[in-house]
Amino acid sequence: MKFLELGDSISRFRLGQSCLGFAGCLFVCYAVCTPFWLKDRGLWTEWNTTRSDQTNRKDDLVFSAMEAERVFGVISFLMAVSTGALCLVFALCWTSETVRSYSNTRSLLMAGQALYPTTLLLLTMASTGFFFLLSWSFFTHQHLEEIRQDFSSLGSSYWLGALGWILLLVVEAIVFIAEQIIVPDILPDLEKAVESWRISSQFEAAKRSFSEGYYPASTKSILAPKRYTSVP
């Protein structure tokens, strides 16, 4: 197995996106699990949001926002764990020879290259960043007045979380677009590889059937059934 293959632009882009996604997933997991969002409190802290001038309806909206940010936080955490594992697989275990295996090539052609590493990373990373962005936005909107009053009270969880969804959503999209512009499309080469495999398999099948149906004359005489004549 060849680790950290950097021989061509495809491998370099794949490794770069994997490292980028793994860092973003780490930031998301850190932000969800730690309480250092605002004044050493986070998503799982019970905030005292009740004020004298608030109505019951507004209290219900605040409670709904707190529940929404926690739900999206849990979803983004689970997706970050799976996406981070996928990034490690593509960074350490995926090589240029893997994509040219017969089964994977057929899958790429049938799915229209949707299973290619960088495309799959884009889909998973964008989904993870989007769900965490929802959680981050709900938290920011809910505590907007406190943030305006004391901007320095924002902690490491808040800022690293923001960096996480920026890496997963914005930077990853820019890198993927750059890859599509710089790296040539591999589908024509894969189609040629599949065609050559098909021709070689047909040739091997024809050769095998010919060898099975051909016997030398001596072999035919041995295999032919013997006829016995009765002695008078």
Side-chain angles (χ1 to χ4, degrees):
M1 183 180 295
K2 186 177 180 181
F3 293 96
L4 301 180
E5 183 182 15
L6 300 174
D8 52 9
S9 58
I10 297 178
S11 301
R12 289 191 290 270
F13 269 104
R14 184 184 67 249
L15 180 62
Q17 287 181 271
S18 300
C19 296
L20 181 70
F22 186 73
C25 292
L26 283 182
F27 293 153
V28 169
C29 293
Y30 175 82
V32 174
C33 296
T34 54
F36 310 114
W37 284 67
L38 179 63
K39 298 177 181 179
D40 292 336
R41 289 179 290 181
L43 294 178
W44 312 106
T45 305
E46 295 296 334
W47 295 78
N48 186 16
T49 56
T50 305
R51 300 171 186 168
S52 58
D53 58 343
Q54 284 183 326
T55 61
N56 293 331
R57 181 180 178 183
K58 193 171 184 179
D59 290 337
D60 293 338
L61 292 176
V62 171
F63 179 76
S64 299
M66 291 178 61
E67 292 299 318
E69 70 186 26
R70 292 174 181 176
V71 169
F72 288 124
V74 171
I75 295 175
S76 62
F77 174 80
L78 296 176
M79 295 190 66
V81 172
S82 59
T83 304
L86 189 65
C87 291
L88 289 178
V89 170
F90 284 142
L92 301 178
C93 303
W94 191 278
T95 65
S96 58
E97 298 300 326
T98 307
V99 72
R100 299 190 181 279
S101 64
Y102 179 76
S103 59
N104 187 72
T105 301
R106 290 292 301 273
S107 300
L108 289 174
L109 293 176
M110 293 175 64
Q113 206 176 350
L115 297 180
Y116 196 67
T118 52
T119 307
L120 187 58
L121 284 174
L122 174 69
L123 296 176
T124 56
M125 291 165 62
S127 301
T128 304
F130 174 74
F131 280 110
F132 182 76
L133 174 60
L134 293 178
S135 178
W136 187 87
S137 300
F138 276 117
F139 183 90
T140 303
H141 178 74
Q142 182 181 354
H143 303 283
L144 188 59
E145 294 183 6
E146 299 177 49
I147 295 175
R148 288 176 179 175
Q149 293 174 2
D150 187 8
F151 192 76
S152 62
S153 61
L154 293 173
S156 60
S157 300
Y158 183 87
W159 292 117
L160 288 179
L163 180 60
W165 69 257
I166 289 174
L167 288 177
L168 295 175
L169 273 178
V170 182
V171 180
E172 163 63 18
I174 295 175
V175 174
F176 181 80
I177 294 174
E179 182 202 12
Q180 299 303 308
I181 297 174
I182 297 174
V183 178
D185 189 11
I186 66 170
L187 283 182
D189 294 337
L190 294 178
E191 292 174 353
K192 293 179 181 178
V194 171
E195 183 66 19
S196 63
W197 283 329
R198 186 183 63 82
I199 295 175
S200 62
S201 62
Q202 290 179 352
F203 177 76
E204 291 294 333
K207 184 178 179 181
R208 185 167 52 252
S209 62
F210 177 77
S211 61
E212 290 176 354
Y214 170 76
Y215 297 99
S218 59
T219 307
K220 288 183 178 180
S221 61
I222 295 174
L223 296 179
K226 297 181 179 180
R227 290 181 293 180
Y228 296 95
T229 58
S230 59
V231 178

